[in-house]
Amino acid sequence: MAAVVHGYPSTMQDDYQLSMGRLIRQAVRAYPDAEIVHRNSAGEWGRTTYRENFDRIERAAGAFAKLGVEVGDRVGVMDWNSLRHYELYWAIPAIGAVFTQLNIRLPEDDLHYVINDSQASVVVVDETLVPIVENIAPQAKGVKTWVILSEGQIDHNLPNAVYYEDLLADAQPLDSWPNISETSAFAAGYTTGTTGRPKGVFYSHRSQYLHTYNTAKDLSASVDDVIMPITPMFHVLSWGMVQVAVMVGAKLVLPGQFSAETLGEITGALTDEGVTVTNGVPAIFTPMFEVLKSKGVTDLTGLRLLCGGSEPPASLIQSYQETFNAEVVHGYGATETSPIVTVNRVTEAMRERMSQEELNAYGSKQGKASVNIDLKIVDGLGNEVPADGETSGEILLKGPWITASYHGMPEEELADKFVDGYWRSGDVATIDAHGFIKITDRLKDVIKSGGEWISSIDMENAMIGHPKVAQAAVVGLEHPKWDERPFMLLVLRDGETITKDEIDEHLRQRFADWQLPEEFEVVDQIPATSVGKIDKKVIRNQYQDRYK
Amino acid sequence: MAAVVHGYPSTMQDDYQLSMGRLIRQAVRAYPDAEIVHRNSAGEWGRTTYRENFDRIERAAGAFAKLGVEVGDRVGVMDWNSLRHYELYWAIPAIGAVFTQLNIRLPEDDLHYVINDSQASVVVVDETLVPIVENIAPQAKGVKTWVILSEGQIDHNLPNAVYYEDLLADAQPLDSWPNISETSAFAAGYTTGTTGRPKGVFYSHRSQYLHTYNTAKDLSASVDDVIMPITPMFHVLSWGMVQVAVMVGAKLVLPGQFSAETLGEITGALTDEGVTVTNGVPAIFTPMFEVLKSKGVTDLTGLRLLCGGSEPPASLIQSYQETFNAEVVHGYGATETSPIVTVNRVTEAMRERMSQEELNAYGSKQGKASVNIDLKIVDGLGNEVPADGETSGEILLKGPWITASYHGMPEEELADKFVDGYWRSGDVATIDAHGFIKITDRLKDVIKSGGEWISSIDMENAMIGHPKVAQAAVVGLEHPKWDERPFMLLVLRDGETITKDEIDEHLRQRFADWQLPEEFEVVDQIPATSVGKIDKKVIRNQYQDRYK
């Protein structure tokens, strides 16, 4: 990155710190009557307002200070999308401490790793999740106090535990909010990668503030919106939905615990409260569609469903559009990126110009880089790929809400995770002439052969289209000359056999000759992980000498 | 202001500089086909796109570098709302220089003061404005080069003058944009106060970036908008309209020179190009309404007219609403505030709850403080006034796009312009329970008596309501005990006389006893300024000993 050049001095208040504390205090002042509709762990709904609830935020801040939490300390939180979770979003950073997200779905081993790595001195946990932390409390020796979120007393065996509601009843509201520097950590999140330990990302007040502005803009959020975060609030801060609501003064709907059983209630809240913005993954929006349809809902005009995690099927986008006049907005991001870095909003001009088929193809793309996000896609040699919608490369990201490192990671380990100040996403994508990106692979699943890339997923999908083939797995194996070469495992349909010529002939419809695998193997079963995905690591190990 | 406290370090890219250069470069990449429709000084319209025009921006940047403009240098610009002005908005800061706005309506004496105070080494001027600068060129000795914006050669007697189009034809496009620090000056503007010399405000890249985000959010601007700045681009950067367009990727309409004669053409562009966002003052929007109506326009749904400078009459707001379904959005700001700090957008909830009369009253208010703007209203003792919509005080402002000083002003002169890090606006306002502010006076027109304030404008308006009174002027005169006391000049209707008791009785309908003026004078004529306003300075001088 070019060195920073200093120009003529400005006269502005450039030392005014961007802080999330200012955000909530100003929202309470500007939008005191904005409603918060919320559902607790017992399934009961309630209503409050920004102004009315603010006293609890200031009491919670006072209570944490009284517990001995100081500026810079980390406080862990493990909860559903509840009102108390919302309060903690603001109360912990209010005293300069770090709101540390604890993912309730982490394996126990990773959970106490996260608590210890973040050095959380206090951990706050919802009553329904106490059984999880009871198991790991003995290994989490740094935790001085456990705080339980509940309606009343509960049975538990946590040491040094107190009740949040008791703390609030005893506390003095915070009397003066410290002026926290904008580069101080506001919150922390940990990656949930499939390999290695979770890695810590510490969001600054500045990064979160700018992410909020940008997401509000990208969603055209306004004071007339009603925002319901479905993505868990322990998952990259629910992608900033709560913060966006507070910035624009929107009504907020906090649906509590989300599960298959509560779909009826949550879709009920969506229609009854007039929700206009929500977020989630395709695996949530798909059953939601069915429930809404079965309830006879016909019009959800104005609703934007921010969809991430994985690619929404074109049929899902089209169904919401045609049945409810609702817009599925596809986005892309990661724990390391706060998370939103691309949003797919098709312009009116494109809508007029393109056929429904073309629009569907666009819907499957992840969209354009947000302003202020420096996104580039580079091939194996680090050169930017052409914007032709076909050539793929790894997505690299730079920007004010992208991480520059991982918590406590030694320099030598960081080296291959960043290049020239860009964070390496590990995602492989194409970019088209409109700047829309489309993710095609994870980098680890791409075969790098002689500086060029071959998509293992595309090749698997192509082979599954062969009438003799039931399953296919393609991996890259080390090769002395070409770095890697593709290798294929096939499970055939009953009684079939297949030749290399037959494979080549079939693959030539989509692949160049140099991309075709020299070797393959027919097997009875393809190695799989516990969740049923192809275990490429096992395959690579088993056949590692094939091209050597 | 509380000292900045440093918390736990973040892992984010907090040193990624917010720069206006990134804004235009990313817009060109993300929205290459976004159109710019423009009109030149000869009245000819043209069309281009962000992408197509960008080459001219990079050439202009290269040309200024070749002229010897270096990082931190100031370049003055004097032009209408033209395409070349748009290019200069980006090209000058691209090389780290400061885009210095020259108000074409400044008296010559002030104009060369601004050029000299800013130490502009290059001044760019439209061909139609060359006669103005020819007069002051001899006094602007620091200017090494004058650059003329024109379609071809013109007659002039400027020394060391070159043509912009010749520079571009010869220039190499800027090959690499420097990484400017966000606290460096991006642009400069000068106040046009009625007293004293213009005062310089130097906007940083950071302040302008955040102002753009915020204004985009406050106007709910999106890629589907069409933005036409009517407010001059030399006037607080046209309130950020050009920057907002570039941030969201909106189509931009640059109407060139705006005057009474061009109203037909400009309203034509408004309807033909489908403008959805524009800005200006009531004095512009009033005749525009008549022209639009006379053309038979009936529907401008979606159009927001950002209105500032002075209070739009309720009738104007209502007319646009009822005749065209267009929204007049009232805002407030100043050169010192980038400028937008409050915007009046009435929420749906308020719209449902309130009568048309109440809504009209709200429309006359300036709106709520934007997020991130710390606005308070204080009385003569520095205490915040209650949010009752009645008690008035001076507006104080703090925030990332508020100035912290004036260019080159000595500390002792700055002292009374700032208090506790807040900029003193000099505007007197009330604030209501919804956080809406309403400006009632300029501070210099308020009478400060015993720590309490009396509105001279309210008292004048009240007295004009008396059947015997034709004109009234109220000023504060120095008083040994009360600091100031009100004093009144009256012009009576033909043949009338008036007593102190009659005055007191009339004013008691609106004013407390302690607020009533002890002294008054009936005169034939009230001293007035050249533009017909009451000349309070003359009255105060003439009667200065009245209460001593």
Side-chain angles (χ1 to χ4, degrees):
Chain A
M1 183 155 50
V4 174
V5 174
H6 295 279
Y8 197 74
S10 95
T11 62
M12 307 305 282
Q13 297 182 16
D14 292 327
D15 59 352
Y16 186 95
Q17 302 296 303
L18 304 176
S19 102
M20 297 304 287
R22 292 193 198 274
L23 196 62
I24 184 68
R25 283 181 289 162
Q26 292 186 22
V28 166
R29 191 165 171 163
Y31 314 105
D33 302 331
E35 275 190 300
I36 307 174
V37 183
H38 52 92
R39 182 164 157 274
N40 69 11
S41 292
E44 297 154 346
W45 289 93
R47 305 183 94 84
T48 183
T49 64
Y50 284 10
R51 169 71 253 172
E52 187 181 53
N53 176 259
F54 190 59
D55 178 58
R56 286 176 56 87
I57 293 173
E58 290 201 311
R59 278 176 185 276
F64 284 113
K66 207 168 150 191
L67 276 183
V69 176
E70 294 184 352
V71 171
D73 286 355
R74 274 75 69 206
V75 175
V77 176
M78 200 169 180
D79 191 12
W80 311 101
N81 289 9
S82 77
L83 181 66
R84 295 191 184 99
H85 207 159
Y86 162 87
E87 291 162 10
L88 294 163
Y89 263 30
W90 309 106
I92 294 168
I95 54 172
V98 183
F99 179 95
T100 304
Q101 304 174 81
L102 300 177
N103 183 337
I104 64 170
R105 302 215 174 86
L106 278 186
E108 285 180 5
D109 203 34
D110 279 346
L111 188 59
H112 75 76
Y113 173 83
V114 167
I115 293 173
N116 289 337
D117 184 74
S118 67
Q119 298 165 290
S121 56
V122 173
V123 171
V124 187
V125 60
D126 184 62
E127 55 183 321
T128 57
L129 304 166
V130 165
I132 297 175
V133 294
E134 279 175 339
N135 290 340
I136 59 136
Q139 290 107 304
K141 297 197 197 308
V143 178
K144 297 196 195 78
T145 312
W146 299 86
V147 178
I148 298 172
L149 306 172
S150 66
E151 304 306 313
Q153 306 279 309
I154 63 162
D155 285 335
H156 70 85
N157 60 26
L158 282 175
N160 305 316
V162 293
Y163 290 99
Y164 180 74
E165 292 301 331
D166 291 347
L167 290 178
L168 258 62
D170 287 346
Q172 292 297 316
L174 186 67
D175 56 354
S176 98
W177 291 51
N179 186 12
I180 301 289
S181 74
E182 66 186 39
T183 59
S184 297
F186 153 73
Y190 280 74
T191 62
T192 49
T194 48
T195 54
R197 287 294 193 188
K199 299 188 288 289
V201 176
F202 280 61
Y203 307 110
S204 61
H205 281 265
R206 172 183 165 106
S207 66
Q208 188 61 207
Y209 209 104
L210 293 169
H211 180 265
T212 306
Y213 256 133
N214 196 70
T215 306
K217 184 181 76 56
D218 280 351
L219 293 173
S220 314
S222 85
V223 66
D224 291 326
D225 274 313
V226 179
I227 300 183
M228 176 166 78
I230 291 182
T231 297
M233 286 168 68
F234 53 76
H235 197 89
V236 210
L237 301 163
S238 195
W239 309 351
M241 289 303 105
V242 170
Q243 294 80 1
V244 166
V246 167
M247 179 174 268
V248 302
K251 174 170 149 185
L252 190 58
V253 181
L254 298 167
Q257 182 172 353
F258 184 96
S259 67
E261 293 76 45
T262 60
L263 258 176
E265 272 207 67
I266 287 166
T267 53
L270 190 130
T271 50
D272 294 352
E273 301 298 340
V275 169
T276 57
V277 175
T278 187
N279 65 339
V281 293
I284 285 168
F285 289 148
T286 303
M288 263 179 65
F289 173 80
E290 296 304 332
V291 173
L292 285 162
K293 207 178 149 191
S294 72
K295 285 182 167 180
V297 173
T298 56
D299 186 16
L300 296 171
T301 299
L303 174 63
R304 287 91 86 200
L305 302 105
L306 181 62
C307 188
S310 63
E311 185 182 314
S315 60
L316 184 75
I317 299 173
Q318 206 171 339
S319 300
Y320 271 96
Q321 183 69 54
E322 287 175 0
T323 314
F324 307 131
N325 194 26
E327 183 188 6
V328 173
V329 180
H330 193 185
Y332 165 68
T335 301
E336 288 89 340
T337 66
S338 295
I340 300 174
V341 286
T342 77
V343 164
N344 182 345
R345 302 206 77 181
V346 175
T347 63
E348 282 302 326
M350 288 171 71
R351 222 178 272 284
E352 282 166 21
R353 196 169 55 215
M354 295 165 101
S355 69
Q356 189 56 47
E357 203 171 318
E358 285 172 309
L359 286 172
N360 288 348
Y362 261 93
S364 76
K365 299 192 177 190
Q366 278 74 21
K368 286 176 200 248
S370 295
V371 64
N372 227 334
I373 291 297
D374 182 354
L375 179 152
K376 64 180 186 181
I377 299 186
V378 299
D379 63 20
L381 303 172
N383 298 317
E384 281 194 65
V385 303
D388 58 10
E390 293 195 357
T391 315
S392 61
E394 185 186 7
I395 299 174
L396 304 187
L397 290 162
K398 206 186 265 188
W401 54 90
I402 311 292
T403 201
S405 68
Y406 291 104
H407 185 239
M409 188 177 280
E411 285 293 326
E412 59 275 18
E413 280 183 54
L414 287 171
D416 73 339
K417 297 182 170 54
F418 296 88
V419 53
D420 292 341
Y422 287 84
W423 173 67
R424 296 186 57 182
S425 69
D427 288 314
V428 174
T430 60
I431 185 164
D432 67 20
H434 297 281
F436 279 59
I437 65 162
K438 167 135 177 113
I439 293 172
T440 55
D441 280 285
R442 284 289 296 167
L443 186 60
K444 62 181 169 51
D445 297 330
V446 163
I447 298 150
K448 294 108 188 163
S449 180
E452 305 273 0
W453 290 359
I454 305 166
S455 167
S456 62
I457 291 172
D458 277 1
M459 195 174 283
E460 287 162 3
N461 288 339
M463 269 326 285
I464 289 166
H466 191 285
K468 290 186 175 178
V469 174
Q471 290 175 51
V474 177
V475 299
L477 296 182
E478 275 185 52
H479 188 283
K481 181 170 176 190
W482 300 111
D483 203 6
E484 284 186 350
R485 287 299 299 161
F487 171 74
M488 186 183 284
L489 289 189
L490 296 175
V491 177
L492 300 181
R493 294 193 187 279
D494 284 350
E496 296 287 359
T497 58
I498 199 165
T499 65
K500 174 133 190 345
D501 282 349
E502 285 174 296
I503 294 171
D504 288 355
E505 192 190 335
H506 183 71
L507 289 179
R508 279 202 184 96
Q509 297 167 28
R510 303 253 331 249
F511 292 88
D513 274 352
W514 68 267
Q515 296 181 308
L516 305 181
E518 284 81 5
E519 302 271 343
F520 74 100
E521 196 81 33
V522 173
V523 292
D524 292 336
Q525 210 179 344
I526 286 172
T529 67
S530 60
V531 296
K533 286 189 177 179
I534 297 170
D535 196 334
K536 300 208 170 180
K537 210 193 285 184
V538 166
I539 302 173
R540 275 191 289 259
N541 281 338
Q542 197 173 336
Y543 296 94
Q544 57 181 310
D545 297 327
R546 201 63 175 243
Y547 288 126
K548 282 186 184 167
Chain B
M1 178 157 49
V4 174
V5 174
H6 295 278
Y8 197 74
S10 93
T11 62
M12 307 306 282
Q13 298 182 15
D14 292 328
D15 59 351
Y16 186 97
Q17 303 298 302
L18 303 177
S19 99
M20 297 305 286
R22 290 194 199 275
L23 197 62
I24 184 67
R25 282 180 291 162
Q26 293 186 22
V28 167
R29 191 166 171 163
Y31 312 105
D33 302 331
E35 275 189 301
I36 308 173
V37 183
H38 52 93
R39 183 164 155 273
N40 69 11
S41 292
E44 297 154 344
W45 288 93
R47 305 183 95 84
T48 182
T49 65
Y50 284 11
R51 169 72 253 175
E52 185 181 55
N53 176 257
F54 190 59
D55 177 61
R56 285 176 57 88
I57 292 174
E58 289 202 311
R59 279 177 185 273
F64 285 113
K66 204 168 153 191
L67 275 184
V69 175
E70 293 183 356
V71 171
D73 286 355
R74 275 76 69 204
V75 175
V77 177
M78 200 168 182
D79 191 14
W80 311 99
N81 289 7
S82 76
L83 181 65
R84 295 191 185 99
H85 207 160
Y86 162 87
E87 292 162 8
L88 295 164
Y89 263 29
W90 308 106
I92 294 167
I95 53 172
V98 183
F99 178 96
T100 304
Q101 304 174 83
L102 300 177
N103 184 337
I104 64 170
R105 304 215 172 85
L106 278 186
E108 285 180 7
D109 204 31
D110 279 346
L111 187 60
H112 75 75
Y113 172 83
V114 168
I115 292 173
N116 290 336
D117 184 74
S118 66
Q119 299 165 290
S121 55
V122 172
V123 170
V124 187
V125 59
D126 184 64
E127 56 183 319
T128 57
L129 303 166
V130 164
I132 298 176
V133 294
E134 280 175 338
N135 290 341
I136 58 138
Q139 289 107 306
K141 297 196 197 309
V143 178
K144 296 194 198 81
T145 313
W146 299 86
V147 178
I148 298 171
L149 305 172
S150 66
E151 304 304 314
Q153 307 278 312
I154 62 162
D155 283 335
H156 71 85
N157 59 27
L158 282 176
N160 305 317
V162 291
Y163 289 99
Y164 179 74
E165 292 300 333
D166 291 347
L167 289 179
L168 258 61
D170 287 345
Q172 290 299 315
L174 186 64
D175 56 353
S176 96
W177 291 51
N179 186 13
I180 301 290
S181 74
E182 65 186 43
T183 58
S184 297
F186 153 75
Y190 280 73
T191 62
T192 49
T194 47
T195 54
R197 284 297 191 187
K199 299 188 287 290
V201 176
F202 279 62
Y203 307 111
S204 62
H205 281 265
R206 173 185 164 103
S207 66
Q208 186 64 206
Y209 210 104
L210 293 169
H211 180 264
T212 305
Y213 256 133
N214 197 71
T215 306
K217 184 183 77 57
D218 280 352
L219 293 172
S220 313
S222 85
V223 65
D224 291 326
D225 274 315
V226 179
I227 301 182
M228 177 166 78
I230 290 181
T231 298
M233 287 170 68
F234 54 76
H235 197 89
V236 211
L237 299 163
S238 191
W239 309 350
M241 288 304 106
V242 170
Q243 293 80 0
V244 166
V246 167
M247 180 174 268
V248 303
K251 174 171 149 182
L252 190 57
V253 180
L254 298 168
Q257 181 172 354
F258 186 95
S259 67
E261 293 77 42
T262 61
L263 258 176
E265 270 205 68
I266 285 164
T267 53
L270 191 128
T271 51
D272 295 350
E273 302 296 340
V275 170
T276 57
V277 175
T278 188
N279 65 339
V281 294
I284 285 168
F285 289 148
T286 303
M288 259 178 66
F289 173 82
E290 296 305 332
V291 173
L292 285 163
K293 207 176 146 193
S294 72
K295 285 182 168 183
V297 173
T298 56
D299 185 16
L300 296 170
T301 299
L303 175 64
R304 290 90 87 197
L305 303 105
L306 181 62
C307 187
S310 64
E311 185 181 312
S315 59
L316 184 73
I317 299 173
Q318 207 170 338
S319 300
Y320 271 96
Q321 183 69 55
E322 288 174 2
T323 314
F324 307 130
N325 194 27
E327 182 188 6
V328 174
V329 180
H330 191 184
Y332 165 67
T335 301
E336 289 87 342
T337 67
S338 296
I340 300 173
V341 287
T342 77
V343 164
N344 182 347
R345 302 204 77 182
V346 175
T347 64
E348 281 301 326
M350 289 171 71
R351 220 176 274 283
E352 282 166 22
R353 196 170 57 218
M354 297 166 99
S355 67
Q356 189 57 47
E357 205 171 315
E358 285 172 308
L359 285 173
N360 288 349
Y362 261 95
S364 77
K365 299 193 175 189
Q366 279 73 21
K368 287 177 199 247
S370 294
V371 64
N372 228 334
I373 290 298
D374 182 356
L375 178 152
K376 63 180 187 181
I377 299 186
V378 300
D379 65 19
L381 303 172
N383 299 317
E384 279 194 67
V385 303
D388 57 9
E390 293 195 352
T391 315
S392 60
E394 184 186 9
I395 299 174
L396 304 187
L397 290 162
K398 204 187 268 188
W401 54 89
I402 311 292
T403 201
S405 67
Y406 291 103
H407 186 239
M409 187 178 280
E411 283 295 325
E412 60 273 18
E413 279 183 56
L414 287 171
D416 74 338
K417 297 182 170 55
F418 295 87
V419 55
D420 291 339
Y422 288 83
W423 173 68
R424 297 185 57 179
S425 70
D427 287 315
V428 174
T430 61
I431 184 164
D432 67 21
H434 296 281
F436 280 59
I437 65 163
K438 166 135 179 115
I439 293 172
T440 55
D441 279 287
R442 283 289 297 168
L443 187 61
K444 59 182 175 46
D445 297 330
V446 164
I447 298 150
K448 293 108 190 163
S449 179
E452 304 272 0
W453 290 359
I454 304 165
S455 168
S456 62
I457 292 172
D458 278 1
M459 195 173 281
E460 286 162 4
N461 287 339
M463 271 322 289
I464 290 166
H466 191 286
K468 290 186 173 176
V469 174
Q471 290 175 53
V474 178
V475 300
L477 296 182
E478 275 185 53
H479 187 285
K481 182 170 175 192
W482 300 112
D483 201 8
E484 287 185 349
R485 287 299 300 161
F487 171 75
M488 188 183 280
L489 290 188
L490 295 175
V491 177
L492 299 180
R493 296 193 184 281
D494 284 352
E496 296 288 357
T497 58
I498 199 164
T499 67
K500 174 132 189 350
D501 282 347
E502 287 174 295
I503 293 171
D504 287 354
E505 192 190 335
H506 183 72
L507 287 180
R508 278 200 186 96
Q509 298 167 26
R510 301 256 328 250
F511 292 89
D513 274 355
W514 67 265
Q515 296 181 311
L516 305 180
E518 284 82 3
E519 302 270 346
F520 74 101
E521 198 80 34
V522 172
V523 293
D524 292 336
Q525 209 180 345
I526 287 174
T529 66
S530 59
V531 295
K533 286 190 178 180
I534 297 169
D535 196 334
K536 300 207 169 180
K537 210 193 286 185
V538 167
I539 302 173
R540 275 191 290 262
N541 281 340
Q542 197 174 338
Y543 297 94
Q544 58 182 311
D545 297 325
R546 200 63 174 247
Y547 289 125
K548 284 186 183 168

